[in-house]
Amino acid sequence: MAVESLDEELRLLDTKLKQLKLDYEQYFLGARPREPQQLRREIQKAIVIHSQQPIRNTALRFRFNGINSRFQAFKRQWDQTLREIDAGTYQRHVFKANLHDRARGIDAPGAARRGASGGAPEDAKPGGDRLFDAYREAARSCGQDVSALTPEKLERVVEQQRTALQKKLGCDDVDFRVVVKDGKVKLKAAARR
């Protein structure tokens, strides 16, 4: 294969990869109705073909390896985002759904804070839906079964802990937040005086 033709093919492949990246970004934002699968298959096919041919020119081989590495990284990122969309946990879609619910007058408490399982403080009054949502999402992310978890069950546990801690610490109230430690979801309490 001539160096000039391979150079042109790699330039075209790089251009197609940039276009595919833009197409996926538009798809994830909702500007494109369908996933750009055809262009993705086209690029995948070209990479497989070039991977099976020896590239003797070091500069061209380096360029091809860079394009291939970028494509593989993008593929992992896109596939992860597609899995989140299928599972209903993709942050942009959750945020949009909450905005639409608020516009229609439906209260969607805490759903926009699904990613708050890393220890961010939550409203933890006994009926705190945000605490329940954060706890449920953190448990799901750790692979725990949350099918039996209800807001009422969590509320009972929180109220028992609140009462015990108020007596023990002599404080007015106790705030709770969800934390994940060693792959386990826990409620962390902080006294409010």
Side-chain angles (χ1 to χ4, degrees):
M1 180 178 286
V3 172
E4 295 82 24
S5 67
L6 181 59
D7 184 43
E8 185 58 37
E9 286 181 32
L10 291 180
R11 189 173 299 126
L12 181 63
L13 186 60
D14 190 34
T15 304
K16 285 182 178 180
L17 182 58
K18 288 175 184 175
Q19 182 60 48
L20 183 63
K21 182 178 184 283
L22 291 174
D23 289 350
Y24 264 104
E25 287 173 358
Q26 290 176 347
Y27 172 69
F28 293 140
L29 288 171
R32 285 182 61 100
R34 289 191 199 94
E35 180 184 354
Q37 293 176 341
Q38 183 177 353
L39 184 56
R40 182 173 173 168
R41 279 193 298 266
E42 207 174 292
I43 292 172
Q44 178 72 43
K45 185 177 179 182
I47 285 181
V48 168
I49 289 170
H50 288 298
S51 295
Q52 295 171 349
Q53 295 176 349
I55 301 175
R56 300 199 192 290
N57 185 310
T58 307
L60 293 178
R61 184 177 31 203
F62 181 79
R63 202 158 110 206
F64 169 72
N65 288 337
I67 292 170
N68 187 15
S69 296
R70 277 199 338 262
F71 179 64
Q72 300 305 324
F74 287 147
K75 268 183 25 178
R76 282 191 297 275
Q77 179 184 355
W78 297 328
D79 290 343
Q80 173 65 32
T81 304
L82 290 169
R83 281 191 296 273
E84 288 176 6
I85 289 172
D86 287 342
T89 58
Y90 184 49
Q91 289 295 331
R92 289 180 178 160
H93 290 183
V94 170
F95 180 75
K96 280 185 188 177
N98 289 338
L99 284 179
H100 290 301
D101 286 347
R102 278 194 220 122
R104 289 189 303 244
I106 301 170
D107 188 25
R113 299 180 55 101
R114 289 180 191 275
S117 59
E122 295 290 329
D123 286 349
K125 297 297 177 197
D129 288 329
R130 287 197 294 175
L131 181 67
F132 172 74
D133 288 340
Y135 188 89
R136 182 180 57 201
E137 289 305 315
R140 278 186 188 152
S141 70
C142 291
Q144 297 176 5
D145 180 28
V146 293
S147 59
L149 182 66
T150 64
E152 293 76 24
K153 285 182 182 179
L154 185 64
E155 184 178 329
R156 280 195 298 268
V157 170
V158 167
E159 194 53 42
Q160 288 172 352
Q161 289 182 7
R162 175 179 279 120
T163 305
L165 287 170
Q166 283 174 331
K167 288 179 185 175
K168 180 180 177 182
L169 301 174
C171 59
D172 297 332
D173 202 0
V174 180
D175 291 325
F176 289 90
R177 64 185 173 138
V178 176
V179 293
V180 177
K181 188 172 183 182
D182 299 326
K184 295 185 179 180
V185 182
K186 299 181 180 187
L187 290 175
K188 189 163 186 158
R192 192 176 357 148
R193 301 190 183 269

